[in-house]
Amino acid sequence: MSHSHTSRRQALQHLASLTAGFSLWSLQHSAAWAQNPADNPQNCAPPPPPGPATPFQGGKIAVKPRKSAFALTDAEIASLTKGWQGLRDITAQNPNSPTGWLRQSYVHCWACGGGTDGQQGEEIHSSWWFPPWHRAYLFFLERALVKASGDPDLRLPYWDWSTQSPSTQTFPQIYASTGSALYDPLRNPANVMPGARIPAAFVGPKAMSIVLNSPTYALFGGVNTAIGGGSPGALETIPHNHVHVWTGTDGSQSPNYGSDMGVLSTAARDPVFFAHHSNVDRMWSSWVAVDPSHTNPPDADWNGHAWNFYDENGVWTSMKVSDVVNSENLGYVYDSLATPTKPVRTAGASQPAPAENAALAHPAQPLVVLAAPQKRNLGTAPVTHKAALPEGFRKPLAALAANQSSRLYLLHIDDVTTPPDRSVSAKVYVNLPNANASTTTESPNFVGMISSVAKTTPANTAGHAAHHQAGIRYSFVIDEETARLIARDKAVTVTLVPVDSNGATPRRSQLNYGRITLTPLP
């Protein structure tokens, strides 16, 4: 099959012919509107607002639970389906309606790299905006579904991949019926089949513990890019990115060449996107609940930051981060929260330190595992870098390993760049130089992932920067278990293992990186 737009057009036409649940009006007009969505939108900008944005007023919606997509009743599934059918009908009648399926998906495109015209809104990935922006986006989409369905109790379900169960770490089959408005043909056929399980590296016990036990908001949700440049949190780099790409397909494979869930510019066209992100949002609520030391940024420039959205009535509305911190303000709570199955101690500066900490001299300068006079390229084979452990690091790391210190350490990999048209992923291991794609992640050696989701398909890179993730820093927690390995070996060994969307050795990969250092957690 040739690499062209034909694959998407044929798939959308096939979807229109299969979706018997759509209204007769939509079916009669589907041939026309199915041609409009290209593999990459040219212009994702929201329709021009009629005037200034109306400030959001929270606390006025009845609080209802968001439930697992695997636990919905037949009536709840019917209501959700009716809501999505209504949004598709709106687009069929008016493709430029801001409340319709297509323009709702463009909201995500606008904030995640923009269209092929080179225009975009504020980038919300690899920064501390990642959790609050998506919570706001899901809220407005949820309200549009409520209106379209006529069901005031409708709330978005969550794709519960965080629970360690073969029944929930699979594709939710309510989205898999070709006769439903929840269906999208542009998914990986093998992975959406019943029983196909998401790799443990992405959602297994250690992966979820890394996310939920992140000691700071920056390590969990991302950093303030105005101060430190781009740096994503574990929530984005481990489960978020990988479930996206696992659901879509690799950028070089038919039928979709990475469209919809596999590419950020089209991901929100798939209704399952919102179930996935509902669980991402649930992880934020869960992280706060796991430990009293887990607190959101107190900064005024975080809490006061605002974005504008069209609400379900087409009203241009301004919503601040402070409006979304408490989900009850938005009319929902989660029926349950995620908990780490393998807790790791999240000691840090925010927690009381034992007396031994005062006697420890933590190094002021980083341990340089890899200097950066030039960038290195990670292809399809693992790469290892090693540095001897200096005397100044031995005592504090040994104290951490022996639970005599609460000061954690961070491994940093700087200046990571990836291409805009390819999803890239690599597992990061410490002091396991023989690690490869098949090596388990359920060990102290595994500390996290480097990853990115493609913004565009290979044939449509015009308008995008040469590297959409330029200069990104990835940071990984070194806890007492990992410190024990380093202290034992008197050396730090960092192994980068490239993997594909199924956790196997990729057929191709392109990831550049610079300096690697080890520092105490501030």
Side-chain angles (χ1 to χ4, degrees):
M1 189 173 187
S2 64
H3 189 156
S4 70
H5 290 303
T6 304
S7 61
R8 179 176 181 91
R9 290 197 297 269
Q10 289 176 339
L12 286 168
Q13 290 168 342
H14 182 57
L15 168 62
S17 67
L18 289 172
T19 311
F22 285 4
S23 69
L24 179 61
W25 195 99
S26 293
L27 288 174
Q28 291 171 338
H29 292 75
S30 60
W33 69 262
Q35 299 295 326
N36 292 328
D39 281 316
N40 289 273
Q42 180 182 7
N43 175 13
C44 293
T54 300
F56 172 74
Q57 298 294 323
K60 296 184 176 182
I61 301 170
V63 178
K64 301 293 181 179
R66 284 185 180 173
K67 299 171 57 176
S68 169
F70 299 95
L72 298 183
T73 66
D74 289 346
E76 289 167 336
I77 295 171
S79 181
L80 179 68
T81 305
K82 183 179 179 182
W84 275 108
Q85 177 181 315
L87 298 194
R88 292 186 185 272
D89 287 347
I90 290 172
T91 293
Q93 298 173 48
N94 178 8
N96 288 321
S97 171
T99 61
W101 159 78
L102 184 60
R103 277 291 172 182
Q104 284 289 319
S105 76
Y106 282 6
V107 174
H108 188 260
C109 173
W110 182 244
C112 307
T116 57
D117 61 359
Q119 302 299 310
Q120 70 174 96
E122 180 179 32
E123 176 61 61
I124 51 84
H125 286 92
S126 297
S127 82
W128 64 352
W129 305 130
F130 178 76
W133 183 90
H134 280 94
R135 178 169 287 185
Y137 178 37
L138 263 63
F139 166 77
F140 286 103
L141 185 281
E142 184 174 77
R143 300 314 300 170
L145 288 174
V146 166
K147 181 176 182 180
S149 68
D151 180 2
D153 293 338
L154 171 61
R155 297 294 182 269
L156 284 168
Y158 58 89
W159 179 356
D160 188 12
W161 37 253
S162 49
T163 296
Q164 302 306 309
S165 167
S167 63
T168 59
Q169 292 184 328
T170 60
F171 187 81
Q173 291 302 300
I174 65 169
Y175 291 87
S177 174
T178 55
S180 168
L182 304 180
Y183 180 72
D184 187 319
L186 304 183
R187 299 169 180 155
N188 188 324
N191 290 345
V192 301
M193 295 293 291
R197 193 166 182 182
I198 305 170
F202 310 151
V203 296
K206 182 62 184 291
M208 293 300 95
S209 288
I210 290 173
V211 174
L212 290 171
N213 286 297
S214 296
T216 66
Y217 178 90
L219 291 164
F220 168 79
V223 304
N224 181 356
T225 54
I227 296 176
S231 184
L235 175 66
E236 182 179 352
T237 60
I238 302 180
H240 167 264
N241 288 354
H242 291 97
V243 174
H244 260 285
V245 181
W246 183 84
T247 306
T249 65
D250 184 84
S252 63
Q253 292 180 332
S254 64
N256 66 352
Y257 300 102
S259 294
D260 287 8
M261 276 288 279
V263 171
L264 293 179
S265 62
T266 59
R269 293 176 179 175
D270 189 338
V272 85
F273 167 96
F274 297 93
H276 170 43
H277 266 279
S278 186
N279 203 44
V280 170
D281 180 69
R282 176 173 169 261
M283 294 294 283
W284 183 15
S285 296
S286 301
W287 175 80
V288 172
V290 161
D291 192 287
S293 69
H294 291 181
T295 57
N296 293 313
D299 312 57
D301 56 346
W302 187 76
N303 283 282
H305 196 75
W307 300 282
N308 295 337
F309 301 85
Y310 282 101
D311 73 4
E312 69 271 25
N313 298 312
V315 176
W316 189 236
T317 305
S318 175
M319 176 174 277
K320 295 180 180 179
V321 171
S322 59
D323 292 327
V324 308
V325 170
N326 182 353
S327 71
E328 292 188 18
N329 197 42
L330 306 178
Y332 73 91
V333 292
Y334 289 100
D335 63 352
S336 69
L337 294 178
T339 56
T341 56
K342 289 188 176 181
V344 293
R345 181 162 55 90
T346 55
S350 62
Q351 295 180 329
E356 290 86 346
N357 271 3
L360 288 175
H362 293 277
Q365 299 299 318
L367 189 168
V368 179
V369 180
L370 176 67
Q374 59 185 10
K375 285 189 176 183
R376 278 76 172 176
N377 175 259
L378 180 67
T380 59
V383 173
T384 296
H385 302 284
K386 182 177 181 179
L389 192 65
E391 187 64 34
F393 278 81
R394 292 182 183 180
K395 187 173 181 179
L397 283 173
L400 173 60
N403 291 319
Q404 296 175 346
S405 171
S406 63
R407 189 74 173 270
L408 300 174
Y409 276 66
L410 296 179
L411 177 72
H412 303 290
I413 301 179
D414 289 334
D415 205 17
V416 175
T417 60
T418 59
D421 60 353
R422 189 171 302 163
S423 297
V424 178
S425 177
K427 300 188 290 185
V428 181
Y429 290 90
V430 172
N431 287 48
L432 195 65
N434 295 324
N436 55 44
S438 62
T439 301
T440 181
T441 54
E442 300 302 316
S443 75
N445 304 89
F446 175 69
V447 295
M449 308 282 294
I450 294 173
S451 68
S452 66
V453 182
K455 290 187 181 293
T456 179
T457 56
N460 294 279
T461 56
H464 289 269
H467 289 87
H468 77 269
Q469 293 274 34
I472 300 298
R473 161 175 274 197
Y474 287 79
S475 299
F476 310 93
V477 175
I478 303 299
D479 63 13
E480 70 269 26
E481 289 186 321
T482 314
R484 197 169 296 129
L485 302 173
I486 297 172
R488 177 199 66 191
D489 297 341
K490 296 182 174 58
V492 180
T493 303
V494 179
T495 301
L496 309 180
V497 180
V499 293
D500 65 14
S501 60
N502 286 306
T505 299
R507 289 176 292 108
R508 60 178 185 171
S509 180
Q510 183 179 341
L511 185 156
N512 296 325
Y513 60 98
R515 192 166 80 144
I516 301 177
T517 57
L518 185 71
T519 67
L521 176 68

